[in-house]
Amino acid sequence: MATEDALYVKVLQDLQKRINANEFPTLKLPDERSLAQAYEVSRSSIKRALTVLALQGIIFKKRGSGTFVNPLYLKKQAMFHSLGTNLGVSDSYRFNGEAPAIKLLSVEKIPADEEARQDLFLDEGDEVWVAKRLRKLQAANFMIESAIIPAKLVPLMTVEDFKHSVFHYAETATKKAVTKSYMTVTVEPSTADDQMLLGLTDKEPVGVMSGIFFLDDGTPFEIGTMRIHYKYMHYNSFVSMDGE
């Protein structure tokens, strides 16, 4: 029998596919009871899937009226970090539908240092994956990604898995989506490494996005840093003001 987590992920993926295919012409989704019956799952699975879609800005709830697809999402899907069902920032960069290619620069599994243990709520002796990757779009290098991920959250992960979307792997392995982040966005002088990998001069700056990404149950999943060529430095975010 499928677990509650697996059921919720299936519902989440299917609802997003249906939204992308414009299967809700009035933009209104069926109520939770009807969706639970249609998918043959509990209402808690439906509620969890809808919560993730709402956090991503794909849908919104109007008190007393129901749940609706965000019309801005349908018009400008590239603005939303929703490739699959997560907040994959680098995956949101696309050109004519082409997703960024990944070149793995380095990856190793090591004991977490004190800072990583504190940020990721780890214990003494816990290990983390430390990875550095280069992202390419239209054959141009545009982003250097660095990630620190608790090994115990993804015990079967291998070096090969870092050649693909880590957030997609996390969703499959943990049955939870990466849906929240606390991020800082800045611009800094480029380093020698930035200049070499991103083709910058010593007078050109680099955009920096750094923070912590969380699974939908609140577990910290990754400390991530993205160093971005300034020409590609654009980032859109959905912000909820309702206190949820």
Side-chain angles (χ1 to χ4, degrees):
M1 183 176 178
T3 66
E4 186 77 12
D5 283 343
L7 290 173
Y8 125 81
V9 170
K10 288 182 66 176
V11 172
L12 178 58
Q13 292 174 336
D14 190 66
L15 275 176
Q16 187 167 345
K17 286 179 182 178
R18 293 173 66 189
I19 290 170
N20 292 345
N22 293 312
E23 287 192 21
F24 304 103
T26 67
L27 301 186
K28 185 174 182 178
L29 271 62
D31 59 57
E32 291 182 7
R33 186 188 302 274
S34 299
L35 287 171
Q37 292 175 346
Y39 283 105
E40 298 182 336
V41 299
S42 68
R43 288 187 65 176
S44 63
S45 290
I46 297 297
K47 187 180 296 290
R48 192 173 175 189
L50 293 178
T51 296
V52 172
L53 292 174
L55 285 169
Q56 293 175 346
I58 295 173
I59 65 173
F60 64 92
K61 296 179 180 180
K62 188 175 180 181
R63 191 167 299 167
S65 299
T67 303
F68 297 83
V69 177
N70 183 350
L72 183 60
Y73 170 75
L74 296 179
K75 292 178 182 178
K76 297 183 178 181
Q77 292 185 25
M79 288 178 58
F80 293 77
H81 313 305
S82 55
L83 184 66
T85 54
N86 55 53
L87 293 174
V89 174
S90 54
D91 288 326
S92 71
Y93 286 83
R94 286 173 169 263
F95 184 85
N96 291 337
E98 177 186 331
I102 298 172
K103 179 180 180 181
L104 186 59
L105 299 177
S106 64
V107 62
E108 59 179 340
K109 188 192 294 185
I110 61 174
D113 62 21
E114 183 176 353
E115 184 177 359
R117 291 199 303 271
Q118 180 178 352
D119 290 346
L120 297 171
F121 294 88
L122 301 177
D123 298 320
E124 186 82 32
D126 282 351
E127 292 185 312
V128 290
W129 283 104
V130 179
K132 183 177 179 180
R133 309 190 301 177
L134 184 64
R135 289 280 191 152
K136 293 173 170 279
L137 196 59
Q138 293 288 288
N141 298 344
F142 79 98
M143 181 188 293
I144 306 165
E145 292 180 319
S146 298
I148 302 174
I149 299 170
K152 65 183 181 182
L153 294 182
V154 283
L156 300 180
M157 197 168 197
T158 67
V159 171
E160 192 69 21
D161 293 316
F162 283 92
K163 297 179 180 179
H164 310 284
S165 170
V166 172
F167 286 0
H168 286 221
Y169 178 88
E171 183 179 309
T172 301
T174 68
K175 305 305 179 186
K176 297 178 178 68
V178 179
T179 58
K180 301 177 184 178
S181 65
Y182 177 82
M183 298 192 69
T184 300
V185 181
T186 61
V187 175
E188 301 176 359
S190 58
T191 66
D193 194 47
D194 298 329
Q195 293 158 23
M196 178 183 68
L197 292 174
L198 299 179
L200 296 167
T201 69
D202 59 3
K203 294 180 175 59
E204 290 180 313
V206 64
V208 182
M209 298 172 62
S210 59
I212 300 177
F213 295 86
F214 300 86
L215 299 175
D216 61 25
D217 65 356
T219 302
F221 175 75
E222 178 190 309
I223 301 171
T225 300
M226 288 146 282
R227 302 184 68 84
I228 307 164
H229 192 297
Y230 67 90
K231 291 182 180 178
Y232 295 88
M233 190 59 190
H234 56 84
Y235 178 64
N236 302 289
S237 179
F238 177 81
V239 178
S240 173
M241 304 294 285
D242 59 10
E244 293 183 357

